[in-house]
Amino acid sequence: PHLPYSNHFASAHAEDELYAKYGDKGLDTSLVDKDCLVNKCAVQAKACLQDDPDCRKGLTCTAKCMGDNACITGCFARYGDANLDGLLKCTIEDNECIKVAILEGGADAYGSEPAGPAPTVRGFDLASMEGRWYKVAGYNPNYD
């Protein structure tokens, strides 16, 4: 069976989709400490921005997501590599050169805790999953 054609699935290029959605918003550079980036993460920045085209695309793609988790996940799935991981670890986790919203650790307030996991299927027979499987793209806009 085929899904009806939709422009939503027409482009396979994450950067094109992101530009269409966020292109006119621009990047808030006040969230980036340029001195920190140069002084503390220069090696990682060079490895990503100068030496690795996929890392550079991944960083640009992630920046255009404006905090949208599904968008960021798509960027990492398409462009993620060790250089991107290293740059983000240095600039966000280790040195806070890039400011991001991070929730404080600790217990949730009573009544605002997340719901528990959904119950498992009772009597599920794993053998029913045997057979031919196919990996498809284009059915989930969050991850394809």
Side-chain angles (χ1 to χ4, degrees), residues 45-128:
K46 180 187 178 299
C48 178
L49 300 171
Q50 186 174 345
D51 302 336
D52 185 347
D54 279 341
C55 183
R56 190 168 47 249
K57 288 178 184 176
L59 192 61
T60 302
C61 179
T62 303
K64 290 178 181 178
C65 287
M66 308 293 284
D68 180 341
N69 287 330
C71 173
I72 292 168
T73 300
C75 293
F76 286 139
R78 182 172 173 106
Y79 300 112
D81 65 11
N83 287 331
L84 182 58
D85 292 345
L87 180 60
L88 294 177
K89 182 176 186 315
C90 183
T91 57
I92 295 173
E93 296 175 21
D94 296 344
N95 296 298
E96 298 180 6
C97 301
I98 299 174
K99 308 297 183 249
V100 295
I102 298 176
L103 297 175
E104 293 295 323
D108 295 311
Y110 181 75
S112 67
E113 60 276 336
T120 58
V121 178
R122 297 187 194 281
F124 178 74
D125 181 15
L126 191 56
S128 68

